[in-house]
Structures are given as structure tokens and as C-alpha cells.
Amino acid sequence: MRVLFFLLFLVLSFTRCSLGQTPEAVKIAFAEKFPGVKSVKWGIDRNGYWEGNFKLEGKRVRSDFTTKGKWVETEMSIKYEDLPAAVKAVIEKQFNKKNIREVEKVANAEKGDFYDVEFKQGKTVTDIEFKEDGTIQDKNSHN
């Protein structure tokens, strides 16, 4: 039992140290992508990416990088009113605008640029990704 506690202590100590230090490759990649940003708060998101939280032009922004510094995506919180007219038209026709919880403009290394609109109905949260022309490119629901 002592050995088990000792191993658990070692794992937790290692995790705390490694999570507390943003890799240099991540810092360099971030500085190249966002050269004017000086204040960034780093953490690890639920996908295991290094996520930098910062403000850009007064808006909340999150940008994800792999441990090796490869950019994954950037999400900027925006207002519903800032969505393209085609996206708003689809939302107003197919969804309940009152259920919108969050709206983001996203640039993704694999999927390209899109708008992520999060709806909440009861305990179910649904993320819908819209292209600028209003086309739905992905839909994901979870509790």
C-alpha cells in the first residue's frame, strides 16, 4: 500500500511540474501567430492542447497549440449580431435563437474558418458549426 501511495505521489508531482510550465515551442509559435499580444494565460484544455487565453481588440480569444508548437485553432467570442447574415438566416429559420449560449468565430488548421454557435435546451448542449454562407458543416450534442 505504501508503494502505491508513493507512486501516486510521484505521478501527481510530475504532473504538477509538467503542467505548470508552458513549452518553449508553444510560446514561440504563439508569439509568431500573435506578435502584439503580451499577456496570455496558459492552461491545458480537455483535448490535451496548450490553450492560450488572451484579449485581442477587446475580444476574448482562445488559441490552441500542440506541445510541439503546432497551431490547432483559434476561437474568438463574438456577439450574435456579428454573425454573417446567411448564418443568422439559417438560425432564425431552423433553430430557437433564445437557446443560444455562446457564439464564436473559429479558425481551425484542418476545418478552415467557421462560426460555432452553442445552443442549450434543457440539459443538452449542441454545438453547430456554420460556414460563412450559412451551410452547416458539423453538429455535436452532449450533456
Side-chain angles (χ1 to χ4, degrees):
M1 190 66 142
R2 264 189 200 173
V3 172
L4 181 62
F5 282 119
F6 179 71
L7 290 173
L8 181 61
F9 172 77
L10 285 177
V11 168
L12 291 175
S13 296
F14 174 75
T15 303
R16 176 183 278 169
C17 291
S18 64
L19 293 181
Q21 299 176 359
T22 307
E24 197 61 30
V26 172
K27 292 179 188 177
I28 291 168
F30 179 86
E32 289 173 357
K33 187 134 186 88
F34 304 100
V37 176
K38 302 295 179 206
S39 179
V40 58
K41 183 178 177 185
W42 289 104
I44 296 179
D45 71 8
R46 67 176 185 243
N47 298 311
Y49 296 124
W50 283 91
E51 182 176 85
N53 291 276
F54 57 100
K55 291 238 180 198
L56 188 64
E57 299 172 4
K59 297 186 186 214
R60 287 184 325 122
V61 180
R62 291 167 303 289
S63 196
D64 296 341
F65 296 83
T66 66
T67 302
K68 295 185 183 214
K70 182 181 177 213
W71 172 75
V72 177
E73 82 174 1
T74 299
E75 303 168 324
M76 178 183 290
S77 296
I78 62 171
K79 296 178 182 176
Y80 176 82
E81 295 76 29
D82 296 332
L83 285 169
V87 173
K88 289 190 282 191
V90 171
I91 289 171
E92 290 165 13
K93 189 173 184 177
Q94 298 182 25
F95 303 97
N96 187 344
K97 183 178 155 186
K98 292 178 184 177
N99 292 336
I100 293 175
R101 193 165 96 169
E102 185 177 28
V103 179
E104 296 175 321
K105 184 175 184 178
V106 181
N108 184 288
E110 293 180 5
K111 295 180 180 181
D113 295 343
F114 60 90
Y115 295 88
D116 183 15
V117 182
E118 184 176 282
F119 296 86
K120 183 169 184 183
Q121 189 164 10
K123 292 183 178 184
T124 303
V125 175
T126 302
D127 283 299
I128 301 178
E129 297 175 3
F130 295 90
K131 292 304 247 179
E132 191 167 357
D133 66 1
T135 304
I136 295 174
Q137 82 173 12
D138 199 8
K139 184 176 180 180
N140 181 11
S141 295
H142 53 89
N143 289 340

